[in-house]
């Protein structure tokens, strides 16, 4: 005979496992910078390689030891993380609060969609580079493996809602699904969004198709 207590534990475990199949882990993405090769060369010297400090959840991506200050028309953000490796285009991802601090009107964009975005000044160790564009507020998104996309019944580019439980529970609308075999499944929100839902480590959100 199974005791009521054991049964309850078993049910809890089953519910936890099932919930993992209908929810995604949410990570807060702090303000950060991606650099192209010419900007790395200009700031750190020709052929310089960024130094990996800590791997990120997305395979091959890392936070580097190097950091930069971002200088905008009305303000400055010091010691901003650079994420490696180098990319085809430099890109600065801010929260709306950060953009207001700098005095920039940054548009909401998917990563890599940089046409008609403002530029900014990047500086460190007395050197500075003006990038002509690339400042965005990243559209909230879910990185997803093809296997999980099948499981959730969603496609690359699909817009969904994600519901977060808890005392500041809310529904994130306009969340874009991004599918690639190079991803691990995680939702990314910026710090404004993370604070809005009282995000803590390991929190998960449920995906709702629109
Ligand atoms: Zn992301």
């Amino acid at each position: 005979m199974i005791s009521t207590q054991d049964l309850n534990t078993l049910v809890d475990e089953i519910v936890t496992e099932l919930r993992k199949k209908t929810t995604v882990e949410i990570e807060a993405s702090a303000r950060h910078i991606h650099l192209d090769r010419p900007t790395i060369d200009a700031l750190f010297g020709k052929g310089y390689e960024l130094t990996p400090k800590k791997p990120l959840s997305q395979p091959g991506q890392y936070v580097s030891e190097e950091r930069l200050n971002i200088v905008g028309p009305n303000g400055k953000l010091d010691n901003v993380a650079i994420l490696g490796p180098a990319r085809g285009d430099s890109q600065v991802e801010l929260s709306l609060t950060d953009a207001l601090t700098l005095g920039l009107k940054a548009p909401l964009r998917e990563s890599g969609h940089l046409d008609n975005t403002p530029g900014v000044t990047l500086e460190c160790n007395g050197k500075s580079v003006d990038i002509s564009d690339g400042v965005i507020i990243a559209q909230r998104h879910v990185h997803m493996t093809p296997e999980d996309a099948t499981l959730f019944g969603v496609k690359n580019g699909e817009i969904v809602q994600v519901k977060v439980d808890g005392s500041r529970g809310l529904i994130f609308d306009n969340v874009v699904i991004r599918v690639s075999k190079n991803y691990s499944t995680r939702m990314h929100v910026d710090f404004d969004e993370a604070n809005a839902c009282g995000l803590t480590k390991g929190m998960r959100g449920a995906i709702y198709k629109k």
Side-chain angles (χ1 to χ4, degrees), residues 86-186:
R87 285 205 180 174
D89 289 304
S90 292
Q91 178 171 305
V92 176
E93 296 184 42
L94 303 174
S95 70
L96 188 55
T97 303
D98 293 336
L100 291 170
T101 301
L102 294 173
L104 282 176
K105 262 200 148 120
L108 191 68
R109 289 289 173 82
E110 270 192 69
S111 181
H113 296 213
L114 304 180
D115 48 304
N116 296 317
T117 54
V120 79
T121 302
L122 304 175
E123 63 167 35
C124 78
N125 303 326
K127 288 188 179 172
S128 75
V129 169
D130 295 330
I131 58 167
S132 57
D133 58 11
V135 181
I136 63 167
I137 296 165
Q139 181 173 0
R140 49 179 86 118
H141 56 277
V142 180
H143 296 273
M144 208 177 259
T145 61
E147 293 76 22
D148 282 343
T150 304
L151 193 67
F152 284 92
V154 293
K155 288 196 282 293
N156 186 48
E158 187 168 337
I159 304 295
V160 299
Q161 294 182 325
V162 177
K163 182 170 183 286
V164 183
D165 292 332
S167 52
R168 302 196 86 187
L170 53 74
I171 295 171
F172 285 114
D173 200 357
N174 299 322
V175 182
V176 63
I177 301 283
R178 294 169 54 192
V179 181
S180 167
K181 61 178 171 37
N182 299 321
Y183 289 156
S184 92
T185 299
R186 291 282 194 296

Side-chain angles (χ1 to χ4, degrees), residues 1-18:
M1 262 284 276
I2 186 164
S3 71
T4 310
Q5 196 182 357
D6 283 351
L7 191 61
N8 284 339
T9 307
L10 189 63
V11 168
D12 282 348
E13 281 172 12
I14 291 169
V15 167
T16 304
E17 280 308 305
L18 280 176

